[in-house]
């Protein structure tokens, strides 16, 4: 793979898209870095030098709520300054045009929905809604940010994200599986494919598989096409080619 994605590989993706009658998009944190949201793998040094994967856990929530709360408050504040980019808008437009059918994401930022995509399958939940970890009662962002307890039971409030150590929402997972089984084409964008079970999905399709990622993803996964590049840049080039190929 080369640094600047080759035109031929993008043309191949466009051909796959035109031939496919059911295309599934699967995105990860790399889809949102061009919006200014850091992924979990960037080497630029995360918050307080703490590996986010050690804070986005059930253990942290239950045993170190102060740290958990500080981490998610920081992420919520950081996200408030960011917006979906052109790539999110292009995916939403292609969905409206019937070029792609389902968007499944590991991202909790709601950018696909904000860009106008419908029926987005949020496999890891959303950082924009909240509930009590103890009784499950719905709560509000402000209640969380002010570190107020649940008005129903006094429990700790948390964002409705899937933490490491928690199962994925069953209905969403089943939904995505159905789409993956039906797909002629699965386009995976901006994920290191290190998080289970989402990393199993690309191998479960009989359709073509394409990986669009900034860096190569460690060995174990085979894709029909690998495009090394930035999500927004490459999607913009795809959009240009869709009009002429
Ligand atoms: P990850 O493990 O951080 O991997 C991200 C991948 O994207 C890496 O392989 C990067 O090389 C690649 N990448 C970075 N920038 C770009 C770009 N501009 N274009 C294309 N590829 C790029 O993140 P994953 O999503 O694989 O998985 C782990 C966790 C991180 C998921 O559960 C997410 O919920 C969680 N997360 C979400 C967000 C968000 O919602 N925006 C942000 C950070 C982490």
């Amino acid at each position: 793979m080369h640094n600047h994605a080759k035109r031929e590989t993008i043309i191949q993706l466009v051909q796959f898209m035109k031939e496919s009658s059911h295309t599934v998009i699967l995105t990860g944190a790399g889809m949102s870095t061009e919006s200014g949201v850091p992924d979990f793998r960037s080497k630029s040094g995360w918050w307080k030098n703490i590996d986010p994967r050690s804070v986005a856990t059930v253990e942290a929530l239950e045993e170190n709520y102060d740290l958990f709360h500080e981490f998610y408050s920081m992420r919520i504040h950081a996200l408030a300054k960011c917006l979906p980019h052109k790539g999110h808008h292009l995916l939403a437009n292609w969905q409206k045009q019937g070029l792609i059918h389902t968007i499944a994401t590991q991202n909790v930022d709601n950018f696909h929905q904000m860009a106008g995509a419908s029926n987005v399958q949020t496999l890891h939940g959303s950082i924009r809604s909240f509930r009590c970890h103890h009784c499950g009662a719905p709560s509000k962002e402000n209640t969380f940010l002010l570190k107020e307890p649940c008005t129903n039971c006094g429990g700790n409030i948390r964002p409705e994200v899937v933490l490491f150590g928690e199962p994925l929402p069953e209905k969403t997972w089943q939904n995505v599986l159905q789409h993956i089984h039906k797909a002629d084409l699965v386009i995976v964008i901006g994920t290191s494919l290190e998080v289970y079970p989402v990393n199993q999905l690309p191998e479960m399709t009989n359709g073509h598989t394409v990986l669009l990622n900034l860096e190569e993803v460690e060995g174990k996964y085979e894709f029909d096409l690998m495009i090394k590049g930035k999500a927004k840049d490459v999607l913009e080039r795809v959009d240009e080619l869709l009009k002429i190929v």
Side-chain angles (χ1 to χ4, degrees):
M1 294 204 287
H2 297 267
N3 258 336
H4 188 62
K6 279 192 181 166
R7 186 178 159 91
E8 304 89 82
T9 59
I10 300 182
I11 290 177
Q12 177 66 74
L13 168 56
V14 169
Q15 271 157 359
F16 281 158
M17 286 172 74
K18 293 209 159 170
E19 285 160 17
S20 167
S21 54
H22 198 86
T23 296
V24 175
I25 305 288
L26 175 63
T27 64
M31 180 73 211
S32 294
T33 53
E34 288 158 282
S35 286
V37 184
D39 61 20
F40 275 2
R41 222 146 284 273
S42 58
K43 303 197 172 58
S44 52
W46 247 91
W47 176 76
K48 291 186 172 184
N49 288 327
I50 295 177
D51 183 340
R53 285 164 291 177
S54 69
V55 191
T57 62
V58 187
E59 292 74 42
L61 169 58
E62 291 178 351
E63 286 152 34
N64 195 348
Y65 186 68
D66 286 348
L67 181 70
F68 177 91
H69 184 270
E70 210 183 322
F71 173 68
Y72 276 100
S73 301
M74 178 276 296
R75 286 189 66 192
I76 290 162
H77 288 306
L79 203 55
K81 301 185 192 99
C82 302
L83 288 170
H85 59 61
K86 185 74 188 290
H88 295 99
H89 288 283
L90 287 174
L91 290 176
N93 290 347
W94 297 342
Q95 185 187 31
K96 283 174 194 142
Q97 291 161 18
L99 257 171
I100 62 172
H101 304 86
T102 307
I103 301 175
T105 187
Q106 298 170 87
N107 296 343
V108 296
D109 53 37
N110 285 21
F111 282 170
H112 291 298
Q113 298 92 315
M114 287 162 70
S118 54
N119 215 2
V120 177
Q121 303 296 313
T122 47
L123 288 157
H124 290 171
S126 166
I127 199 172
R128 298 186 193 268
S129 55
F130 299 82
R131 68 166 190 269
C132 172
H133 181 56
H134 187 66
C135 75
S139 189
K140 294 211 160 64
E141 181 177 283
N142 244 352
T143 311
F144 174 76
L145 289 175
L146 294 169
K147 226 178 180 179
E148 287 171 358
C150 172
T151 47
N152 186 43
C153 76
N156 285 335
I157 305 301
R158 57 170 289 178
E160 296 217 72
V161 298
V162 176
L163 300 170
F164 290 102
E166 290 182 323
L168 270 55
E170 182 61 22
K171 209 173 141 226
T172 308
W173 175 252
Q174 290 303 334
N175 238 326
V176 172
L177 276 185
Q178 276 182 16
H179 285 290
I180 289 276
H181 288 145
K182 219 162 98 178
D184 298 316
L185 174 61
V186 177
I187 307 173
V188 179
I189 305 174
T191 167
S192 62
L193 290 174
E194 287 198 7
V195 178
Y196 180 89
V198 171
N199 61 4
Q200 306 298 300
L201 290 170
E203 290 183 319
M204 290 178 178
T205 181
N206 293 318
H208 287 122
T209 52
V210 178
L211 174 69
L212 160 53
N213 209 59
L214 196 54
E215 56 184 17
E216 273 170 68
V217 166
E218 302 294 308
K220 40 194 191 290
Y221 301 100
E222 293 279 329
F223 286 86
D224 295 316
L225 189 65
M226 305 239 271
I227 303 176
K228 190 174 179 179
K230 290 191 172 187
K232 172 173 158 293
D233 291 356
V234 172
L235 293 174
E236 281 175 337
R237 290 172 67 195
V238 169
D239 194 54
E240 284 303 308
L241 287 168
L242 275 168
K243 293 169 191 153
I244 53 174
V245 172

